[in-house]
Amino acid sequence: MRRWIALCAMLLAGAASAQEATLPAPILTLNQERLYISSEFGQRVREDLEANSADLAAENRRIEAALVAEESQLTTDRATMDPTEFRLLAEDFDERVTGIRGAQIEKREALQRIADQERGRFFELAYPVLFQLVEETGALAILNQSAVILSSRQIDVTDLAIERVNAAIGASPLPDEPLSTPLPRPSPQDTVQETPPQGDD
């Protein structure tokens, strides 16, 4: 965003110093939000976020089912278990549930952070394309439509900007980096203790 403001300031200063100019260069407008969400890059980010969110939701359901089953087994075993042993197992279970819940929340927040970072990367990549568009048209500046009270459709370059940005950077996908999956530790009943083989005396 600072680059965007700097670009406008630079162009305004250059126009003011051009004494021979009798008319100001045209002002162009751009729907910055539509540029992003309608671009191949923005659509790819949205699809990635939706797919990863769906995967995370499925993972949460699997983990929840495993924890519910473990809790049910722990409750069943309580009647035949030493109270001290049960208390230790129950505390361990609660600890793990809290840790897993925190890890899954962090995953969800990480997905949103990636989407936000990708939005910033998009405008970094789009900046040279927009600058070239300013130079080609001889425009004084490109203003975001959200900051303009009234303008003519003739000076809206959003569609042209989308076309140029798509041609220049496309979807620019990130390399796949699968998130780690914290799974609940097995209950004591699911743990198999292997006895080392004994040699013949």
Side-chain angles (χ1 to χ4, degrees), residues 5-67:
I5 295 172
L7 171 61
C8 292
M10 179 181 66
L11 293 171
L12 288 168
S17 63
Q19 298 296 326
E20 69 280 4
T22 57
L23 292 174
I27 299 293
L28 304 177
T29 62
L30 174 75
N31 187 320
Q32 197 171 350
E33 184 64 20
R34 186 161 73 84
L35 170 64
Y36 179 64
I37 64 177
S38 298
S39 68
E40 293 175 5
F41 190 109
Q43 291 174 1
R44 189 269 302 165
V45 173
R46 177 180 57 78
E47 290 169 1
D48 286 351
L49 180 60
E50 290 177 351
N52 289 330
S53 295
D55 289 344
L56 183 59
E59 179 182 276
N60 286 339
R61 289 192 294 271
R62 290 194 300 270
I63 292 174
E64 182 181 6
L67 291 173

Side-chain angles (χ1 to χ4, degrees), residues 141-154:
I142 299 180
L143 302 180
N144 189 8
Q145 284 182 354
S146 63
V148 177
I149 297 176
L150 183 65
S151 67
S152 169
R153 291 184 180 179
Q154 294 178 343

